[in-house]
Amino acid sequence: MKKRLQRLLPAIALLFSTAGFSQLKLPALLQSGMVLQQKDSVQLWGWAGPGENVTVTTSWNAQQYSTKVSDLARWKLKIQTPAAGGPYSITISSRNTIVLENVLIGEVWVCSGQSNMEWSYYNGVKDIAAEFPQAANSNIRLFQVNKTGADYPQEDLKAGWTSCDSNQLKAFSAVGYFFGKRVQEQLNLPIGLINVSWGGTPAEAWTPEEVVYSDPVLKEAAAKLTKVDWWPTTSGKAYNGMIAPLTNFTIAGVIWYQGESNTGTYTTYRQLFTKMIDSWRAAWNKKLPFYYVQIAPFKYGTTGIGALLREAQHAAAEHPATGMVVITDLVDTVTDIHPSRKKPVGTRLANYALAATYGLKIDGYRSPEYSSSVVEKGKILVKFNYAEKGLRINGAQPIGWQIAGLDGTTWYSPQVKIDKNSVVLWHPNLKNPVYVRYGFGNTSIGNMESLQGLPLSPFRTDNLPVAQVPEQ
C-alpha cells in the first residue's frame, strides 16, 4: 500500500498543479477599487490555464476583448479606457470569472525614492495631521508597495488599492498624498497614487542591473557604495522587487525624491539618474514625465558633497520631460536630513505636473534659475530665467551669496542689489570679480525667491575643485 501511494504521489501533485494553473488569477495591481489611466490603451494581464481563452468585458462601453493564454500560463491584452469617470466594473472570464468593481478612470502616478518620499505621519511629518478631518476622498486611491528586493525582475507583489481616508493616510507617503490632492483638486478627476519608496536606497538599487553594469563608469561608482543591513544598495534589487511588477500597469508619470544616499558618488549621479529614467521609460514603453525634488541642505560630514549632488540634479533637469523643484527654504535644521514640511514639496511637484503635463496656467511653477553673468566696472550682473515678475529677499538681508576673483582662493560675501529679474553683486575689497556662488555648500541656505515665493535654485559659475574635507 505504501509503495503504491509513493507511485501515485507525482500524479497527484501534477493533478493539483494543473488545477491550480487553470484558475484565472490576476496580479495585485488589478483589483476592485483600482484607478486606470484615462484615455489610453491600458494593459490587463494575469495567469490561467495554457491554451484557454480569456474574455474581458468593460462596463463603460460593454465591449468585449479576448485573448489566448500562452504555453507559460500567462495572458495579456489591451483595453481602451474612456475619459475620467466611474465607478465601473470589469468582468474577466476563463475557467472561472473575476469581477472587478468600483473601478475609477483617471490619472495614475508612481511616487518613488528614498526616505523623504517614504516619510509619513508615523515618521513625524508635521503637516499631515491637519489633513485627517477632510482626508476621506474616494477619488484618491492609494496603492502601497511593500519593501521587497529581488535578484531577478518579479511579475507580482503583495499590495492592495484603498480609498484615501485618515487611517490609510497615516502610513502613506506625505509628499505623494499632497501631490495627489493638489492634482485631484485642480483636474477634478480620480487620482491613483502608487507609493514605491524605500528609505536609504541609492539610485543604483532602482536601476536595472544591466544598465549599471554595462557602463564601466557607473559600475565602478556602484562598487563604492557601502552595504548596510536595512535597505538594498546593490544595483537593480529594488527595481526587480518593486518597480518591475508595476511596468505592465499604465501610468501618467513619476514623482521622485532621492539623492541623499548618492552624495558620495555625486560625480556619476547625473549619468546614473538619467539612465535610470530612460530604463523606466523603456520598461513602460512610454516617455513618462519625471518630476523630482532637489535634496535639501544638510550637514553630510564631508565638505561640498551635498552641494555637488544638488548641482548634478540640476544638470539632470536638461533631460527630456523632466522637471526639478527646489526646497532650500523648507529646511528646519541642517542636522536633520528629513525636512518636516512635506505639503509644500508635494504642492510644488503637483504644480510642475499641472503646468508641464496637463497644460494648466500655473503662475510661477518653476524656481528661478541662473541664466548668465557679465562683469561691468567691478560688479557682476547676474541674470535669471523663470523670474519674469521679479525677485525679492525673504528676510532683512540677503544671504547665501559669494563672489571671488579669477584664482578663486578668497570668497567674499558681497553687496546685493536686485534689479527686477537680475542681481548686481560687488565687494569693496574685490576689484575684479569673476565667479559667483549662491547657496553652494552642504548647509548653505539662501533667501532669494521669485515674487511667487519659490526659492532661487543654488548655483555656481565656476568649475573649481571643491576640497573634500570633514565638516566641523
Side-chain angles (χ1 to χ4, degrees):
M1 181 68 181
K2 184 177 180 180
K3 290 183 178 179
R4 184 183 177 189
L5 181 60
Q6 287 176 335
R7 288 195 301 268
L8 287 172
L9 280 176
I12 294 171
L14 179 61
L15 175 65
F16 277 101
S17 175
T18 303
F21 267 112
S22 67
Q23 290 292 310
L24 176 68
K25 291 178 61 179
L26 300 178
L29 274 163
L30 303 183
Q31 294 183 3
S32 293
M34 68 181 175
V35 180
L36 292 179
Q37 183 63 31
Q38 69 164 336
K39 295 186 287 188
D40 210 329
S41 181
V42 170
Q43 198 156 246
L44 302 182
W45 73 102
W47 302 269
E52 294 182 0
N53 290 320
V54 173
T55 301
V56 174
T57 305
T58 52
S59 72
W60 53 83
N61 58 3
Q63 186 167 341
Q64 192 173 89
Y65 306 80
S66 63
T67 190
K68 191 174 183 179
V69 182
S70 76
D71 57 350
L72 298 178
R74 297 181 178 93
W75 64 269
K76 185 186 296 185
L77 57 73
K78 290 186 176 181
I79 63 173
Q80 195 66 36
T81 54
Y88 299 110
S89 66
I90 300 175
T91 302
I92 307 174
S93 299
S94 184
R95 187 165 296 191
N96 57 306
T97 297
I98 299 174
V99 180
L100 304 180
E101 299 175 325
N102 191 22
V103 174
L104 298 181
I105 309 294
E107 294 291 310
V108 184
W109 285 79
V110 164
C111 316
S112 190
Q114 58 181 112
S115 56
N116 271 306
M117 180 61 79
E118 179 186 345
W119 244 224
S120 68
Y121 169 77
Y122 289 131
N123 301 110
V125 174
K126 291 181 178 179
D127 40 14
I128 202 71
E131 297 294 311
F132 292 160
Q134 68 269 15
N137 186 345
S138 63
N139 278 320
I140 298 178
R141 304 284 173 89
L142 311 176
F143 189 88
Q144 177 71 51
V145 175
N146 292 331
K147 298 175 183 176
T148 306
D151 291 329
Y152 304 99
Q154 301 298 295
E155 293 185 320
D156 202 4
L157 40 72
K158 293 183 179 180
W161 286 97
T162 60
S163 290
C164 183
D165 60 30
S166 58
N167 287 326
Q168 298 297 330
L169 181 54
K170 287 179 181 178
F172 198 79
S173 162
V175 170
Y177 165 75
F178 285 120
F179 168 85
K181 179 186 178 184
R182 169 75 172 163
V183 173
Q184 198 276 321
E185 289 174 344
Q186 291 299 304
L187 299 183
N188 192 28
L189 47 70
I191 296 293
L193 300 172
I194 301 174
N195 180 27
V196 53
S197 50
W198 194 337
T201 47
E204 285 86 349
W206 297 101
T207 306
E209 180 182 20
E210 63 273 14
V211 172
V212 176
Y213 291 160
S214 64
D215 186 316
V217 174
L218 296 183
K219 183 178 180 180
E220 182 181 356
K224 297 177 182 178
L225 296 171
T226 303
K227 292 186 177 181
V228 296
D229 295 333
W230 305 282
W231 53 79
T233 58
T234 305
S235 300
K237 301 305 183 185
Y239 176 88
N240 290 340
M242 301 171 72
I243 297 298
L246 307 178
T247 55
N248 280 329
F249 197 74
T250 305
I251 62 173
V254 178
I255 59 171
W256 174 262
Y257 192 163
Q258 189 276 338
E260 297 89 347
S261 289
N262 282 102
T263 51
T265 54
Y266 63 84
T267 57
T268 57
Y269 188 79
R270 177 186 182 180
Q271 183 176 346
L272 171 67
F273 184 41
T274 53
K275 284 200 170 187
M276 188 201 85
I277 292 171
D278 287 342
S279 70
W280 287 27
R281 289 172 174 170
W284 261 281
N285 193 28
K286 185 177 182 179
K287 190 177 179 181
L288 299 169
F290 219 100
Y291 304 120
Y292 61 96
V293 184
Q294 188 182 53
I295 62 172
F298 175 70
K299 191 173 183 178
Y300 281 98
T302 302
T303 297
I305 58 175
L308 291 164
L309 194 282
R310 284 195 292 273
E311 186 174 63
Q313 288 180 309
H314 183 271
E318 296 177 5
H319 205 58
T322 63
M324 185 188 77
V325 300
V326 182
I327 61 164
T328 52
D329 59 327
L330 302 180
V331 175
D332 302 308
T333 170
V334 295
T335 59
D336 188 348
I337 205 168
H338 304 110
S340 62
R341 288 174 288 166
K342 302 302 187 190
K343 184 174 183 178
V345 181
T347 300
R348 289 173 190 179
L349 287 166
N351 285 341
Y352 213 120
L354 289 168
T357 296
Y358 298 110
L360 271 62
K361 291 185 178 180
I362 304 295
D363 188 24
Y365 68 93
R366 295 185 64 163
S367 277
E369 296 179 3
Y370 169 78
S371 172
S372 62
S373 61
V374 61
V375 178
E376 295 179 349
K377 298 180 181 179
K379 297 180 179 180
I380 302 180
L381 173 66
V382 187
K383 296 183 178 181
F384 300 93
N385 294 323
Y386 315 114
E388 293 81 1
K389 292 188 176 181
L391 297 165
R392 68 187 180 195
I393 299 297
N394 185 2
Q397 297 294 328
I399 57 175
W401 293 96
Q402 293 179 303
I403 60 174
L406 184 61
D407 60 3
T409 56
T410 303
W411 291 85
Y412 298 87
S413 296
Q415 298 294 310
V416 180
K417 179 183 178 181
I418 298 175
D419 183 10
K420 296 180 180 179
N421 62 347
S422 300
V423 173
V424 181
L425 308 168
W426 73 95
H427 191 279
N429 296 334
L430 184 60
K431 293 182 179 180
N432 298 304
V434 175
Y435 300 126
V436 180
R437 291 181 177 182
Y438 172 79
F440 190 81
N442 285 356
T443 60
S444 180
I445 303 175
N447 63 349
M448 183 160 287
E449 62 185 21
S450 66
L451 292 189
Q452 295 92 339
L454 289 183
L456 174 62
S457 181
F459 72 94
R460 62 171 176 158
T461 62
D462 66 278
N463 59 359
L464 300 170
V466 177
Q468 305 288 294
V469 296
E471 292 179 313
Q472 301 299 316

